[in-house]
């Protein structure tokens, strides 16, 4: 499906209501920062996730891409309430996840699983991999009498020899360990899996194996993924749609092709231009958009558009209007940037030390 | 071509371990010329880092053992004493390592770490070294350099710390810079800034660079020549265009085929290389890649070790360590030129004029 047909079909966004599995509305995760005084008074907060809204449709993979510190992992954790959101709502298949009590939350977590980045850290070194996978079954009281058999099935599903169940994590390579992590996530037969940088710690040829496996499992088991990564090439390979995050916010969301063909937010464009492509001719001829300055601290983000301190396109409204996601090249392609019309909430402009002059627009 | 600045011949590195001798670098030879960037690529454990650390004997010995020859500036380094080597390390041969948090000392201000080498190697006075440190920090793009000299590493961001490490690597005007995964820990936008910086410095200073990485995207942009390492050996060596345009070794073909390509139309299955690299304490007698190779025609490579041979008659130094030819159609499919889609139409151009009006 191309972005264009998506975009010109006005029904596409509206008719899909029932197709939405995860609906995230204005999600906020602010971590308190305490002072050094005796009272350890709260002196501010780190706005790790600051008003994020997106939807994940049944059966799709939504890629969430951004650089370190942009809040993508915290967003993933907040969906499962592995960190408590401080604002906004997460609706999973019609249920408001924030309203659930402990017991209800546990049963909901049977339907939502997570795969973590570091297969070295996410497995208990003192537990055999079979026991690690079985633990997930035991916690949820699944397959009481035939757990061993189910563990063997799961290992087989992820391409591991079931005879390895009694071995320990250190006996496996990184890729194999990540397969164990995937088997553990599949144990509860979830509908939705948050994959948090599942390939970042792996060598390239192993990354390919894990990505192929994830796609194959999605087809066979009808899974929905939120695929979080900093590697846009990998995200684009595996995703149907992509959301780009910067400093706690989503700045652009679009069909996987549109992000590449028509990157609209200046940050997306800079990110895309910075990604090295394994093609010498292309690399030599390329014009990089080098971003200046440093990522501002999420404790004191710039007023208005928080990318304005580094944006090559910055102009007058950027420091006083907080941009909202709006349609840019089509209804399905949304971007939070005033270049596509000044839309958003008026705020008090703050001076920011790194701010570039408003005349910075070339 | 001029004489190489660095010439490595039949370099071997072995480590004694409880499980036996791990032979991690197995006969690596190459020449590096002034102004050239040589990329060393391979997966973790392929010996790419150790082979460069061994150039100036920066590995613990024992348990390590280095054999072979390293010629640099008319001298041979492997037989050299520690004291003599100390005058070369950080002086004629500069290093930039992956993780700036571990290569900088957290309890000393960066100014001290930056001037240390210059005072020792170049005999500069404290104030001259300080002036030069300010120059270097400005060169690598750290704003307000004079006031940052007394700052500690934790007061810098990852990208800024890596710039400091690069400034240290360059401080004594080395002839050769060894960058070991210098941008791997950084975000892509920061990586772009660092790559840009190293290329600029190379032009200005005529530096020869050995760039070690597993990122085949970065290599495409920065390298003149590429050596692919597998299990401690060079399995393929070529000019950067040849390597990506017409990979010859089954491992290189597999590696390139396993990359997801940005902007690909319909993502298909990625090629994978089944199996795992061999245990360095128990290398197979023949080709180290043979248990994973899909293109072997017979069992010859199981027992017989393939030499690094010319890949074709072109005489362009494209060499490959394999008895077999990967079929042309497979090579074509893996060659990234066939996969990389059209350049993004506007990523490098200014935003289209109509965009500012919106087109809703």
């Amino acid at each position: 499906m191309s972005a264009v047909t998506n975009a010109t079909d006005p029904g596409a966004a509206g008719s899909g209501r029932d197709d939405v599995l995860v609906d995230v509305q204005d999600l906020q995760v602010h971590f308190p920062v305490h002072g050094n005084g005796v009272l350890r008074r709260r002196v501010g907060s780190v706005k790790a996730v600051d008003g994020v809204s997106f939807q994940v449709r049944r059966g799709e993979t939504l890629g969430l891409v951004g650089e370190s510190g942009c809040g993508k992992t915290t967003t993933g954790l907040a969906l499962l309430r592995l960190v408590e959101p401080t604002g906004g709502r997460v609706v999973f298949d019609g249920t408001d996840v924030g309203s659930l009590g402990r017991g209800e939350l546990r049963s909901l977590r049977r339907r939502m699983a997570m795969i973590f980045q570091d297969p070295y850290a996410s497995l208990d070194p003192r537990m055999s991999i079979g026991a690690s996978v079985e633990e997930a079954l035991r916690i949820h009281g699944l397959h009481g009498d035939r757990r061993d058999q189910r563990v063997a099935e799961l290992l087989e599903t992820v391409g591991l020899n079931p005879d390895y169940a009694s071995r320990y994590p250190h006996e496996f390579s990184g890729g194999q360990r990540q397969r164990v992590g995937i088997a553990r996530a599949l144990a509860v037969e979830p509908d939705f899996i948050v994959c948090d940088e599942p390939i970042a710690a792996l060598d390239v040829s192993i990354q390919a194996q894990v990505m192929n496996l994830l796609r194959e499992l999605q087809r066979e088991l009808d899974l929905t993924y939120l695929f979080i990564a900093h590697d846009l090439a990998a995200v684009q390979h595996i995703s149907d749609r992509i959301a780009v995050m910067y400093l706690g916010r989503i700045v652009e969301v679009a069909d996987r092709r549109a992000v590449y063909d028509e990157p609209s937010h200046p940050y997306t464009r800079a990110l895309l231009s910075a990604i090295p492509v394994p093609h010498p001719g292309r690399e030599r001829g390329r014009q990089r958009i080098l971003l200046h300055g440093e990522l501002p601290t999420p404790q004191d983000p710039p007023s208005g558009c928080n990318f304005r301190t580094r944006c090559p396109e910055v102009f007058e409204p950027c420091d006083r209007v907080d941009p909202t996601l709006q349609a840019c090249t089509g209804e399905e392609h949304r971007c939070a940037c005033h270049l596509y019309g000044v839309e958003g909430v008026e705020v008090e402009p703050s001076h920011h030390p790194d701010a570039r002059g408003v005349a910075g627009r070339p | 071509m001029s004489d190489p600045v660095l010439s490595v011949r039949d370099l071997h590195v072995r480590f004694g371990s409880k499980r036996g001798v791990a032979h991690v670098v197995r006969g690596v030879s190459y020449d590096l010329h002034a102004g050239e960037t040589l990329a060393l690529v391979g997966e973790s454990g392929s010996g790419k880092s150790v082979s460069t650390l061994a150039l100036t004997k920066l590995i613990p010995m024992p348990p390590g053992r280095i054999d072979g020859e390293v010629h640099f500036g008319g001298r041979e380094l492997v037989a050299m004493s520690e004291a003599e080597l100390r005058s070369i390390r950080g002086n004629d041969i500069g290093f930039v390592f992956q993780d700036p948090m571990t290569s900088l000392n957290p309890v000393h201000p960066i100014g001290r770490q930056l001037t240390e080498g210059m005072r020792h190697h170049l005999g500069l006075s404290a104030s001259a070294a300080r002036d030069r440190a300010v120059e270097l920090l400005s060169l690598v793009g750290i704003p307000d350099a004079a006031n940052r000299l007394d700052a500690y590493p934790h007061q810098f961001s990852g990208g800024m710390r890596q710039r400091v490490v690069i400034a240290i690597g360059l401080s004594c005007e080395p002839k050769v810079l060894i960058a070991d995964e210098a941008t791997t820990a950084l975000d892509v936008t920061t990586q772009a800034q660092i790559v840009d910086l190293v290329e600029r410095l190379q032009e200005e200073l005529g530096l020869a660079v050995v760039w070690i990485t597993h990122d085949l995207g970065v290599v495409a942009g920065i390298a003149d020549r590429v050596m692919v390492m597998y299990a401690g050996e060079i399995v393929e060596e070529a000019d950067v265009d040849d390597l990506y345009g017409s990979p010859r070794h089954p491992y290189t073909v597999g590696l390139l085929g396993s990359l997801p390509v940005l902007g690909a139309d319909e993502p298909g299955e990625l090629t994978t290389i089944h199996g795992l690299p061999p245990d360095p304490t128990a290398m197979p007698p023949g080709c180290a890649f043979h248990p994973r190779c899909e293109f072997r025609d017979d069992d010859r490579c199981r027992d017989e070790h393939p030499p690094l041979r010319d890949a074709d008659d072109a005489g362009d130094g494209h060499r490959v360590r394999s008895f077999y030819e990967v079929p042309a159609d497979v090579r074509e499919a893996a060659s990234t030129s066939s996969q990389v889609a059209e350049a993004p139409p506007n990523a490098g151009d200014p935003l289209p004029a109509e965009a500012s009006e919106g087109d809703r």
Side-chain angles (χ1 to χ4, degrees):
Chain A
M1 192 197 311
S2 84
V4 181
T5 46
N6 240 341
T8 48
D9 175 9
S15 69
R17 278 282 146 205
D18 287 347
D19 283 347
V20 173
L21 183 64
V22 185
D23 189 5
V24 180
Q25 300 161 7
D26 199 27
L27 184 72
Q28 281 183 5
V29 184
H30 292 183
F31 295 108
V33 177
H34 297 283
N36 288 321
V38 189
L39 298 174
R40 312 271 306 154
R41 255 198 301 248
R42 182 172 176 153
V43 293
S45 51
V46 171
K47 296 167 179 153
V49 179
D50 197 21
V52 158
S53 303
F54 60 87
Q55 297 178 334
V56 192
R57 297 168 194 158
R58 230 175 272 276
E60 81 165 349
T61 299
L62 177 70
L64 189 58
V65 67
E67 297 183 289
S68 38
C70 73
K72 54 191 192 303
T73 293
T74 309
T75 302
L77 293 170
L79 293 195
L80 275 70
R81 270 179 71 194
L82 292 172
V83 298
E84 283 295 332
T86 50
R89 260 162 43 107
V90 177
V91 180
F92 179 81
D93 204 8
T95 310
D96 183 348
V97 178
S99 69
L100 299 179
R102 283 178 67 95
E104 293 166 307
L105 186 61
R106 174 166 285 189
S107 48
L108 190 71
R109 284 203 186 126
R110 269 195 58 186
R111 301 188 53 198
M112 313 162 91
M114 188 146 183
I115 299 169
F116 296 94
Q117 166 168 4
D118 188 351
Y120 299 77
S122 58
L123 292 173
D124 185 337
R126 294 164 307 172
M127 267 165 101
S128 71
I129 60 150
S132 276
V133 175
E134 195 197 332
E135 188 183 34
L137 298 173
R138 204 177 56 237
I139 287 171
H140 290 284
L142 300 170
H143 305 282
D145 46 349
R146 47 176 289 272
R147 275 189 200 140
D148 289 348
Q149 198 186 331
R150 177 68 185 144
V151 168
E153 280 168 22
L154 285 163
L155 292 178
E156 208 153 30
T157 309
V158 298
L160 290 173
N161 185 338
D163 297 341
Y164 291 174
S166 55
R167 298 195 184 180
Y168 288 84
H170 73 267
E171 298 176 69
F172 293 91
S173 68
Q176 290 172 323
R177 267 183 266 210
Q178 194 54 287
R179 287 174 190 267
V180 178
I182 295 171
R184 224 175 115 90
L186 292 177
V188 296
E189 292 163 47
D191 301 314
F192 177 58
I193 302 183
V194 174
C195 310
D196 184 16
E197 297 272 15
I199 57 168
L202 308 173
D203 272 324
V204 274
S205 65
I206 313 297
Q207 291 187 348
Q209 293 176 7
V210 172
M211 277 197 284
N212 284 349
L213 174 66
L214 286 172
R215 278 167 55 110
E216 191 187 309
L217 293 172
Q218 178 168 44
R219 274 194 305 270
E220 283 170 12
L221 305 174
D222 214 5
L223 296 168
T224 303
Y225 291 145
L226 179 68
F227 189 89
I228 302 173
H230 66 277
D231 177 352
L232 188 52
V235 168
Q236 221 210 4
H237 178 80
I238 205 164
S239 305
D240 300 299
R241 292 187 307 132
I242 297 174
V244 182
M245 266 187 100
Y246 179 81
L247 204 62
R249 301 215 175 139
I250 288 177
V251 296
E252 183 161 357
V253 56
D255 174 77
R256 62 178 288 280
R257 285 266 13 148
V259 167
Y260 182 80
D261 291 337
E262 303 167 289
S264 297
H265 196 282
Y267 175 66
T268 313
R269 295 161 60 91
L271 190 65
L272 210 57
S273 87
I275 295 169
V277 180
H279 186 287
R282 275 276 302 286
E283 278 298 300
R284 270 192 295 272
R286 93 144 71 208
Q287 286 259 307
R288 288 209 179 86
I289 305 170
L290 291 182
L291 287 180
H292 297 277
E294 297 275 303
L295 189 71
T297 159
Q299 215 177 312
D300 179 26
S303 65
C305 171
N306 61 20
F307 185 58
R308 70 179 166 88
T309 53
R310 304 174 77 194
C311 181
E313 308 284 341
V314 62
F315 64 120
E316 187 276 321
C318 297
D319 63 343
R320 60 169 180 85
V321 183
D322 198 348
T324 45
L325 278 173
Q326 54 174 312
C328 54
T329 68
E331 199 47 45
E332 285 279 282
H333 186 168
R334 306 179 79 80
C335 170
C337 180
H338 296 316
L339 289 171
Y340 305 92
V342 179
E343 251 180 53
V345 186
E346 288 261 357
V347 292
E348 187 65 32
S350 72
H351 173 69
H352 206 272
D354 297 332
R356 292 149 65 91
V358 289
R361 197 158 181 211
Chain B
M1 199 180 264
S2 59
D3 286 343
V5 281
L6 179 75
S7 190
V8 181
R9 289 291 170 270
D10 201 25
L11 188 73
H12 289 260
V13 181
R14 296 176 177 86
F15 287 98
S17 76
K18 272 185 241 162
R19 295 189 299 128
V21 176
H23 198 169
V24 295
V25 177
R26 306 189 301 147
V28 166
S29 304
Y30 57 90
D31 289 329
L32 179 69
H33 295 269
E36 185 183 34
T37 302
L38 176 71
L40 215 50
V41 304
E43 297 186 279
S44 21
S46 60
K48 51 193 196 305
S49 288
V50 176
S51 70
T52 48
L53 289 173
L55 297 178
T56 58
K57 301 212 270 189
L58 278 172
I59 56 171
M61 293 189 293
R65 202 183 102 196
I66 301 171
D67 298 289
E69 291 171 24
V70 176
H71 297 280
F72 176 80
R75 301 199 283 175
E76 202 286 306
L77 308 188
V78 174
M80 212 177 249
S81 73
E82 242 337 82
E84 286 175 293
L85 278 170
R86 227 173 283 141
S87 70
I88 289 179
R89 291 179 194 144
N91 186 16
D92 295 318
I93 301 182
F95 291 89
V96 178
F97 295 108
Q98 169 169 3
D99 183 355
M101 214 41 196
T102 48
S103 47
L104 290 173
N105 188 329
V107 301
H108 294 307
I110 59 143
R112 174 167 164 185
Q113 305 185 49
L114 195 47
T115 52
E116 196 180 14
M118 293 189 281
R119 297 195 61 190
H120 178 82
H121 290 304
L122 309 179
L124 295 183
S125 70
S127 67
R130 230 181 133 77
D131 290 347
R132 172 111 176 96
V134 173
E135 255 175 59
L136 282 164
L137 288 183
S138 316
L139 183 74
V140 297
I142 292 184
D144 195 20
N147 292 319
R148 304 300 305 264
L149 280 185
D150 297 315
Y152 289 84
H154 74 266
Q155 293 171 301
F156 292 85
S157 68
M160 284 293 156
R161 276 199 290 264
Q162 194 60 301
R163 286 165 198 258
V164 173
V165 174
I166 290 177
I168 294 174
L170 293 171
S171 61
C172 299
E173 300 188 356
K175 297 185 181 68
V176 173
L177 183 74
I178 292 173
D180 188 353
E181 302 277 10
T183 59
T184 305
L186 306 174
D187 281 321
V188 277
T189 52
T190 316
Q191 170 172 281
Q193 293 171 344
I194 301 285
V195 166
D196 196 59
L197 168 72
V198 172
E199 283 178 332
R200 195 157 46 78
L201 294 173
Q202 201 172 8
E203 254 164 54
E204 285 167 18
L205 310 173
L207 201 62
V209 178
V210 180
W211 192 281
I212 301 168
T213 181
H214 65 272
D215 186 330
L216 290 156
V218 174
V219 172
I222 199 163
D224 300 310
R225 266 185 97 60
V226 185
M227 300 195 309
V228 182
M229 283 192 77
Y230 183 79
E233 290 183 309
I234 296 170
V235 294
E236 183 161 6
E237 159 177 16
D239 287 341
V240 66
D241 293 289
D242 286 342
L243 190 96
Y244 287 81
S246 133
R248 302 296 289 261
H249 194 280
Y251 177 63
T252 317
V253 169
L255 212 52
L256 289 174
S258 67
L259 294 175
V261 173
L262 196 60
D265 274 332
E266 275 305 315
E269 287 275 287
L270 296 169
T271 319
T272 60
I273 305 173
H274 67 88
L276 296 170
D279 179 345
T281 60
M283 286 290 178
C287 172
F289 189 65
H290 87 262
R292 305 176 75 186
C293 185
E294 289 173 39
F295 303 105
R296 35 197 297 243
D297 296 334
D298 49 39
D299 283 343
R300 182 182 172 195
C301 59
R302 203 179 53 196
D303 308 309
E304 200 181 325
H305 188 223
L308 202 55
R309 63 172 169 93
D310 282 333
D312 43 47
D313 302 331
D316 53 4
H318 191 163
R319 299 195 296 164
V320 58
R321 190 184 292 281
S322 173
F323 293 125
Y324 312 108
E325 291 294 338
V326 178
D329 56 322
V330 181
R331 288 197 280 130
E332 174 62 22
S335 130
T336 49
S337 43
S338 65
Q339 291 175 55
V340 172
E342 287 287 292
N346 48 13
D349 316 331
L351 280 169
E354 71 274 10
S356 21
E357 286 131 41
D359 51 358
R360 281 160 296 132

